[in-house]
Amino acid sequence: MQIKSAEFIVSNQEVEKCPKDNFPEYAFIGRSNVGKSSLINMLTERKSLAKTSGRPGKTQLINHFLINKNWFLVDLPGYGYARVSKSTKKVFQKFITNYFERREQLVLAFVLVDIRHKPQKIDLEFMEWMGQNQIPFSIIFTKADKLKPKAIDRHIDDYKTVMLEMWEEMPSYFVTSSSKSIGKDELLNYIDEINQAFYEGN
Ligand code: GTP
Ligand code: MG
């Protein structure tokens, strides 16, 4: 899929105020600093469409980006950011869970995980919560430029082993790097297939 247009539409904390359009929507979620906003910029080839930062906790709202005028990419705040206050964390958690529980246009969430790390409890628990709430998700491994190919394979194998303790099968997954544009076509083609099924079925 070619990206012909990518525009920021709206930011907010309330799922009720998200765009009303019935476009298929894909949300990026994961720990703070994992690279959600950077990946949106990489996919759309817009350097600063989504705001990024070396410091965790940059994205603080639900951000809708309209792509090719017929689907949305959604940038969300990260979870697991230790330096925000407990009360801020609660507000974050509440509007993020509201978003996932109530957003009817959401067709798929992408859970981003840093490929360099061993499977983290917070990510595994989040995926478990998604499963319990029947919210479909795929996994995106980020920052693949930081590892050599063999290490990438090893880390993915380790991830699969841990996932298979909890799930019957490994969800579909993608290996990406925003700084090296790795995984762009695979991800966009995957989204394109789902979009096509969405529009044929509607
Ligand atoms: P929050 O909004 O705080 O939840 O973070 P985020 O998940 O949106 O992360 P963001 O995209 O802001 O990136 C965090 C940091 O990781 C920045 O310094 C990015 O430059 C860096 N980063 C993101 N993706 C990659 C990548 O693929 N490779 C490398 N080397 N660095 C990356
Ligand atoms: Mg962000």
Side-chain angles (χ1 to χ4, degrees):
M1 167 170 40
Q2 275 208 331
I3 304 290
K4 294 183 197 123
S5 65
E7 40 187 323
F8 167 72
I9 302 296
V10 67
S11 293
N12 63 72
Q13 282 200 340
E14 285 162 63
V15 64
E16 287 76 16
K17 291 187 184 159
C18 289
K20 302 273 181 277
D21 316 73
N22 188 26
F23 294 149
E25 177 163 318
Y26 303 83
F28 285 180
I29 183 73
R31 283 158 68 95
S32 278
N33 217 42
V34 69
K36 300 174 292 295
S37 304
S38 302
L39 190 62
I40 288 183
N41 294 337
M42 185 272 260
L43 291 175
T44 57
E45 292 181 24
R46 298 330 188 249
K47 269 206 182 89
S48 43
L49 185 63
K51 290 193 184 115
T52 66
S53 168
R55 286 172 51 207
K58 180 70 181 172
T59 308
Q60 306 223 341
L61 295 165
I62 304 168
N63 298 287
H64 275 77
F65 298 97
L66 180 62
I67 316 296
N68 289 353
K69 309 219 182 274
N70 68 359
W71 60 282
F72 282 118
L73 265 179
V74 176
D75 194 14
L76 293 169
Y79 50 72
Y81 173 42
R83 274 161 64 199
V84 294
S85 68
K86 267 201 179 147
S87 55
T88 310
K89 216 182 236 175
K90 272 207 175 135
V91 174
F92 267 31
Q93 273 166 6
K94 193 68 208 152
F95 77 73
I96 295 172
T97 49
N98 279 346
Y99 169 82
F100 282 113
E101 285 170 353
R102 299 192 198 154
R103 184 67 175 163
E104 286 175 5
Q105 291 88 331
L106 180 76
V107 292
L108 183 72
F110 288 101
V111 180
L112 276 66
V113 296
D114 189 322
I115 195 148
R116 293 172 296 176
H117 305 317
K118 291 214 153 63
Q120 309 270 304
K121 195 165 167 237
I122 193 166
D123 295 320
L124 298 171
E125 283 177 357
F126 183 78
M127 290 187 246
E128 198 179 349
W129 180 84
M130 296 288 269
Q132 282 161 359
N133 287 279
Q134 296 179 305
I135 300 160
F137 67 89
S138 296
I139 295 176
I140 294 181
F141 294 102
T142 64
K143 309 195 184 184
D145 55 287
K146 299 265 195 186
L147 291 182
K148 298 210 164 76
K150 270 196 182 146
I152 291 179
D153 291 344
R154 202 176 63 239
H155 283 231
I156 291 173
D157 279 347
D158 290 350
Y159 218 94
K160 279 185 189 162
T161 306
V162 173
M163 287 299 285
L164 292 177
E165 288 168 9
M166 216 165 77
W167 300 86
E168 271 177 30
E169 51 186 306
M170 176 75 176
S172 20
Y173 66 88
F174 299 86
V175 176
T176 67
S177 159
S178 294
S179 47
K180 295 263 163 69
S181 276
I182 297 169
K184 178 167 174 275
D185 292 345
E186 289 82 354
L187 204 46
L188 287 178
N189 288 340
Y190 183 64
I191 291 173
D192 196 28
E193 276 177 25
I194 302 172
N195 284 346
Q196 282 180 27
F198 178 94
Y199 281 112
E200 277 162 20
N202 267 279

